[in-house]
Amino acid sequence: MGLPGLLCALMLVVGYCSRRAAGVPGEVEQPEPELVEVEVGHTALLKCSLPHAQGNISHLDWFSVHKEKQTLIFQVHKGQGQSKPGEYQHRLSLQDRGTTLALTHVTPHDEHIFLCQGKRPRSQEYRIQLRVYKAPEEPSIQVNDLGLSVNSAEPGEIAICVGRNGYPLPQVTWYKNSHPLIEEKNRVQIQNYQIVESSGLYTLRSVLSAQVTKEDKDAQFYCELNYRLPSGNHMKESQEVTVPVFYPAEKVWLEVEPAGMLKEGDRVEIKCLADGNPQPHFSISKQNFSTRETEEETTDDGTLVLEPAQKEHSGLYQCQGLDLETTVSLMSDPQELLVNYVSDVQVTPEAPESQEGSSLNLTCTAESNQPLEFHWLREKTGHVLHKGQVFQLHHLTREAAGGYRCVALVPSVPGLNRTQLVNVAISGSPWMTVNTRKLWVKENLVLNLSCEASGHPRPTISWNVNGTVSEQDQDEQSVLSVLTVLVTPELLETGAKCEASNALGKNTTIIFLELVSNRTTIGTPTVGPHTRANSTSTEKKLPEPESKGVVIVAVTVCVLVLAVLGAVLYFFYKKGKLPCGRSGKQEMERNTSI
């Protein structure tokens, strides 16, 4: 081609371009493709809407367009369709009398333009833009467990948010305490990374970094993924996380548990606390009230446990906190710890003695750091007899002997009290529980006989018969003696006698024995007051006086005689051997026959 030809060609090109730019009438621009949206895994319906087609299209070709390259994927001839070899070969089918192409199992790789082209009655084409969507999985968030320091000059990593398998790439928004975070130079940084999976789906990895302050120690961070589906815009939120924030302490103080009034025996905890994170290294010192000396206390993680608390633990306590990073030491305000106590409860006289009919004064003393009250209780009953430091006993009897307990208590501190027991001795000759007793027994059986006596001085007991004797102290002034003996004729004749004696006199109990023989139904046997479970026989009380027994026997005999007499009379009456009765009966029969 010569120079004139080249110039002509160049002019033609320039003229074409100028007409395009000027919108020369007669030139038709390509219309925008129809938009079809579908989710991954679903079926896309591609409808070929040719502008001048009427009725069925006898011949139709389908192309996929990728980077302006058209690839034939499906042909329709006289209503029959056929897939072409390739990636769509097994996923295409016809619908709506051949005008709609169905693409199944849509993947992200299917997102491009599809073109249908008809040749009859004349050549035309129609473009469809397929948009593919996939909701990402629930976002996961991983917090920086190592934490951040407020003294750091650069933003530190707070958390990483990951949204997997979404399409297209979702948008991420970070929040702190429900407020969105915006990137700020040297303060807040958000770095997003995307990963394209082999399936064509996207995985988003977003890193949030920021400078933190002390106020961020309880801040809640989370991420939000925003994405689109054919149904509209959606979002998913991660869990909230808290990043450890480290900051130096500004104040140290101590707490005491339990709060309120303390008493000896309590479990007391003294805790050192600070407003820093991590907590500084603590030590506790105590200043003694009396000596004013200060001593170091051994602690476990800043906690001192006093168990049980004693009055010696009272003093002024103070915590010291040492920041191991900044080497700054802080002291708490001193706090007084007072352990209330009651001690050295004493009763005078220590071993009180008195005579029957006389009087006795008991005095109780104790030490405490609080005002005291004194209560006197009877030991065997627990009843309060008197309130006051001095307890006066008047007109003493033997029954007044025994234990009395002084209780020294602090009304202002519930549960704080101490007690002291004292035994009052009433001097006198022995006093027996019973003086005489009668028992029903059987011969040749082993029997346990008991005898109890009290007095001051405490008496000794002896028996007038031979046997095995065992003794048991009941209290300071009483003794119980048990004699194990075989029932013999001699014992039945003499009975048994126990004798209690002390320096002031003697006293006895006599036990009479009587054979049960055939009169076992008379009287009700009962276990004696001191019979033991392993006794070989049982003590039995005598019945009521014999006069009552005689009356009962007489009445019984009369009843039996009357019963026999009535039976004899009834027998003779039935046999007809009573004349008066029989004549009366015959007279009645004659009257009836008339």
Side-chain angles (χ1 to χ4, degrees), residues 139-143 158-162 172-181 190 206 208 219-226 235-243:
S140 62
I141 189 168
Q142 182 178 0
V143 70
I158 291 180
I160 299 175
C161 178
V162 178
V172 63
T173 303
W174 283 94
Y175 290 85
K176 182 178 79 171
N177 296 332
S178 301
H179 297 291
L181 292 173
I190 300 175
S206 181
L208 172 65
Q220 300 288 326
F221 294 90
Y222 67 94
C223 63
E224 176 186 275
L225 296 183
N226 298 278
M235 69 88 171
K236 290 183 177 180
E237 294 179 346
S238 71
Q239 293 181 341
E240 294 181 333
V241 294
T242 301
V243 64

Side-chain angles (χ1 to χ4, degrees), residues 251-254 316-320 330-336:
K251 181 181 178 182
V252 173
W253 68 95
L254 63 83
L316 283 177
Y317 286 81
Q318 197 169 19
C319 284
Q320 179 181 15
L330 298 173
M331 296 293 294
S332 71
D333 294 332
Q335 183 169 332
E336 178 181 351

Side-chain angles (χ1 to χ4, degrees), residues 137-180:
E137 299 174 4
E138 294 291 333
S140 62
I141 189 168
Q142 182 178 0
V143 70
N144 177 11
D145 293 326
L146 298 179
L148 299 174
S149 173
V150 297
N151 297 325
S152 176
E154 298 292 333
E157 179 184 300
I158 291 180
I160 299 175
C161 178
V162 178
R164 302 183 184 278
N165 298 323
Y167 193 89
L169 187 69
Q171 301 297 315
V172 63
T173 303
W174 283 94
Y175 290 85
K176 182 178 79 171
N177 296 332
S178 301
H179 297 291

Side-chain angles (χ1 to χ4, degrees), residues 199-380:
S199 60
L201 301 176
Y202 288 106
T203 292
L204 172 67
R205 185 174 182 270
S206 181
V207 181
L208 172 65
S209 301
Q211 281 190 323
V212 293
T213 63
K214 183 178 178 180
E215 289 70 26
D216 293 326
K217 61 185 179 67
D218 298 318
Q220 300 288 326
F221 294 90
Y222 67 94
C223 63
E224 176 186 275
L225 296 183
N226 298 278
Y227 57 94
R228 176 174 171 75
L229 294 178
S231 58
N233 295 323
H234 300 268
M235 69 88 171
K236 290 183 177 180
E237 294 179 346
S238 71
Q239 293 181 341
E240 294 181 333
V241 294
T242 301
V243 64
V245 177
F246 303 124
Y247 46 91
E250 300 176 355
K251 181 181 178 182
V252 173
W253 68 95
L254 63 83
E255 293 181 354
V256 178
E257 294 181 358
M261 302 285 281
L262 303 177
K263 63 180 183 295
E264 281 192 320
D266 286 344
R267 184 183 190 276
V268 180
E269 285 190 7
I270 302 174
K271 296 181 179 180
C272 290
L273 301 171
D275 59 354
N277 186 34
Q279 294 280 285
H281 174 73
F282 291 114
S283 60
I284 299 179
S285 60
K286 170 200 164 188
Q287 184 183 47
N288 193 290
F289 280 145
S290 56
T291 64
R292 296 297 177 183
E293 295 180 353
T294 301
E295 55 188 21
E296 192 82 8
E297 299 288 345
T298 303
T299 66
D300 182 15
D301 297 330
T303 300
L304 176 62
V305 179
L306 309 176
E307 186 178 18
Q310 304 292 334
K311 64 180 181 179
E312 292 79 11
H313 291 141
S314 297
L316 283 177
Y317 286 81
Q318 197 169 19
C319 284
Q320 179 181 15
L322 176 62
D323 192 315
L324 300 179
E325 183 177 353
T326 63
T327 67
V328 175
S329 179
L330 298 173
M331 296 293 294
S332 71
D333 294 332
Q335 183 169 332
E336 178 181 351
L337 180 73
L338 180 60
V339 179
N340 298 287
Y341 66 92
V342 176
S343 62
D344 299 330
V345 181
Q346 296 181 353
V347 176
T348 55
E350 294 182 2
E353 293 185 24
S354 188
Q355 301 290 332
E356 284 187 275
S358 63
S359 299
L360 179 66
N361 290 341
L362 301 177
T363 303
C364 187
T365 59
E367 292 185 5
S368 177
N369 64 322
Q370 298 286 350
L372 287 171
E373 285 187 4
F374 296 91
H375 294 178
W376 291 90
L377 284 71
R378 188 67 156 122
E379 177 67 12
K380 62 183 178 181

